Amino acid sequence: MAVARTSEQLNARREGQLGRITLNRPNSINALTLEMIRAATDAVRAWWDDPSVEFLVLDGAGDRGLCAGGDLTVVRDSALGDPEVAAQLWREEYLLDLLMARFPRPVVALMDGVVMGGGLGLAGRADVRVVTERSRVAMPEVLIGLAPDVGSCDLLARAPGELGTHVALTSMHLGPADALLCGLANLYMTSAEVAGVFASLQRAGLEGLPASGSPPPGELADARGWIDECYAGDDAVEIVRRLSARSEPAALAAAQRLESVSPTAVAVTLRALRAAADEPGLVPCLVRDYRVVRRFLRHPDLVEGITARVVDRTHTPRWSPPRLADVRGEDVDAFFAPLGPDDLQLPD
């Protein structure tokens, strides 16, 4: 078994015809660091032109999940100090997301347990995206005063109807059935079967992967009616008004959620979803994402959100501006304006 690149935070190695990348920070649900991103990028590049690597497999150490996203304390410290630190992390992370999406042979992502933020960026375009009864898939960025990134708006804009809008704006945690419905996963198996994936791939390829039929029922299939009606259009204030006028408890809960999270993040996220629908594709989405996250580094809601939700855990952030109605269209426009020479450069 040859090792492509191993660090304390990531283990990349050959297992027969598999190239296996294991995120290895189990105590933090494998939250991504720049060290992990660079080690994974080195491994993917090392295997790119090696036909003996027939499958690339992504999994996470420990029993809590594949990846909880990026290391938010690094982002907060960068916003308070040197914004280039977080910008560098995002540039290299987005390049890795692109490499994972374009790897020339099948990629299998084991999305058992928690898969959030940057974890979905790595796994969301794998050829096989496995969820289990333990999977919790989410893009929770609006909770911390940020917008979903890592190309996720391109994925969510493809979900049936307005499901992706609901998921992104409310930071909803998706179980396996809802992840499958939204197109964020395409194979269900039990968590007990996940350990057998590696031997199955080596023995019989993709056709040999275990599958357990249908997952437990989700929430979204029966909610399509009110979700599609309420989330139509480009006006976040109107979306909240429609949700508040519904009788369904889930719709009322969604309205309350949208009124409690960062108004700027909600407005920017809605714009990002509509832009992804108008100009689909991973590369244009990543370019927009990079412009947006760079602008959030300078916006007070990002530090406020991470401090309240992650650092101090008061869960009472003070947003600026405090209401959706106070978010101006020109301010949202500014998040998507080109960065000039600082724009994200991705290889063809």
Side-chain angles (χ1 to χ4, degrees):
M1 182 175 66
V3 176
R5 168 81 181 258
T6 300
S7 73
E8 291 184 356
Q9 300 182 1
L10 183 137
N11 186 10
R13 70 277 194 197
R14 287 289 303 276
E15 294 182 354
Q17 67 265 47
L18 309 183
R20 184 175 173 185
I21 295 176
T22 302
L23 308 179
N24 190 33
R25 295 182 69 208
N27 291 337
S28 59
I29 320 182
N30 304 310
L32 293 172
T33 66
L34 187 56
E35 177 183 336
M36 297 165 75
I37 292 165
R38 288 176 171 171
T41 300
D42 286 350
V44 173
R45 283 177 161 157
W47 296 329
W48 193 274
D49 293 319
D50 183 353
S52 69
V53 179
E54 298 180 14
F55 303 98
L56 178 59
V57 185
L58 175 70
D59 67 331
D63 59 2
R64 298 170 67 191
L66 172 66
C67 178
D71 192 327
L72 294 178
T73 58
V74 172
V75 174
R76 177 180 180 272
D77 291 346
S78 178
L80 291 170
D82 181 4
E84 180 57 27
V85 173
Q88 179 70 23
L89 186 148
W90 280 318
R91 282 197 299 271
E92 298 195 31
E93 180 183 10
Y94 294 177
L95 172 60
L96 176 59
D97 294 337
L98 181 62
L99 292 174
M100 293 290 290
R102 290 184 172 174
F103 192 73
R105 290 169 299 284
V107 177
V108 178
L110 302 180
M111 300 166 62
D112 187 29
V114 172
V115 186
M116 296 184 183
L120 187 60
L122 293 177
R125 287 173 174 78
D127 300 274
V128 179
R129 289 156 288 151
V130 176
V131 283
T132 75
E133 78 282 359
R134 300 184 335 113
S135 293
R136 293 295 177 268
V137 183
M139 292 300 298
E141 281 72 15
V142 295
L143 291 175
I144 58 164
L146 189 62
D149 66 330
V150 297
S152 63
C153 284
D154 180 59
L155 293 172
L156 291 169
R158 301 168 190 263
E162 295 292 343
L163 293 184
T165 310
H166 174 65
V167 169
L169 295 185
T170 64
S171 299
M172 181 179 178
H173 290 200
L174 303 179
D178 289 332
L180 290 162
L181 176 61
C182 289
L184 303 182
N186 57 10
L187 180 64
Y188 174 75
M189 65 179 67
T190 67
S191 57
E193 291 173 314
V194 168
V197 164
F198 310 101
S200 296
L201 282 172
Q202 297 205 52
R203 182 178 63 252
L206 299 181
E207 291 74 17
L209 289 175
S212 300
S214 301
E219 302 175 29
L220 293 179
D222 292 338
R224 275 289 305 277
W226 65 261
I227 287 176
D228 289 352
E229 179 180 328
C230 290
Y231 286 95
D234 303 330
D235 187 340
V237 174
E238 177 63 13
I239 288 173
V240 173
R241 187 198 67 76
R242 292 187 200 128
L243 289 168
S244 300
R246 300 291 300 197
S247 60
E248 295 87 351
L252 298 174
Q256 292 173 354
R257 170 60 66 90
L258 266 62
E259 290 179 323
S260 70
V261 297
S262 163
T264 299
V266 168
V268 171
T269 298
L270 182 60
R271 178 75 62 84
L273 289 164
R274 301 311 186 230
D278 292 339
E279 186 183 9
L282 177 57
V283 169
C285 191
L286 289 173
V287 171
R288 287 190 298 269
D289 289 349
Y290 187 69
R291 294 171 181 172
V292 166
V293 295
R294 287 291 299 259
R295 268 52 185 259
F296 268 113
L297 282 173
R298 302 289 190 182
H299 193 280
D301 279 5
L302 180 58
V303 169
E304 179 69 16
I306 297 176
T307 301
R309 305 283 192 193
V310 179
V311 179
D312 296 342
R313 297 185 181 274
T314 62
H315 300 287
T316 55
R318 296 179 179 273
W319 306 119
S320 179
R323 300 185 311 143
L324 263 174
D326 297 327
V327 180
R328 302 180 304 174
E330 57 265 34
D331 293 334
V332 176
D333 294 342
F335 276 84
F336 295 88
L339 295 166
D342 291 330
D343 251 339
L344 181 66
Q345 304 297 321
L346 293 169
D348 292 335

